Amino acid sequence: PVPRRRTYLVNPAVWVLDQFRVARLCERLGDTARARSWYEKFLTDWKDADPEIPEVIQAKERPAALGGGKAEAAKSPAPAAR
């Protein structure tokens, strides 16, 4: 007999929230570069979301708190020319 395969329907809203959860997990594990990347993916996929959603607010705040990335590059001075 042919084995049955389970089919899972994925709700896009759940997947986007999972991106946020993965970012939080990476942050807790100390992988800040990967956490920033997941936060950016989350915000890109939910760019039209209600800005008052707590996860959206946190995802906008956390990358700057982690340091590095775009926010940190904007703060750091340009290297001196030689």
Side-chain angles (χ1 to χ4, degrees):
V2 176
R4 295 182 119 191
R5 298 180 77 190
R6 291 184 183 192
T7 303
Y8 297 97
L9 298 176
V10 178
N11 181 339
V14 172
W15 166 239
V16 173
L17 285 173
D18 285 343
Q19 291 176 332
F20 176 79
R21 291 180 189 111
V22 170
R24 296 279 306 229
L25 179 62
C26 291
E27 185 177 347
R28 287 183 184 166
L29 293 174
D31 191 346
T32 57
R34 188 172 283 167
R36 277 192 304 274
S37 174
W38 279 105
Y39 283 128
E40 289 174 12
K41 289 176 188 178
F42 170 77
L43 291 171
T44 299
D45 288 350
W46 259 20
K47 63 181 176 270
D48 297 327
D50 180 358
E52 299 300 318
I53 295 173
E55 290 84 356
V56 173
I57 294 168
Q58 290 176 23
K60 288 179 179 178
E61 294 172 350
R62 293 307 305 151
L66 293 173
K70 295 176 187 173
E72 192 66 26
K75 292 180 186 176
S76 61
R82 292 184 180 211

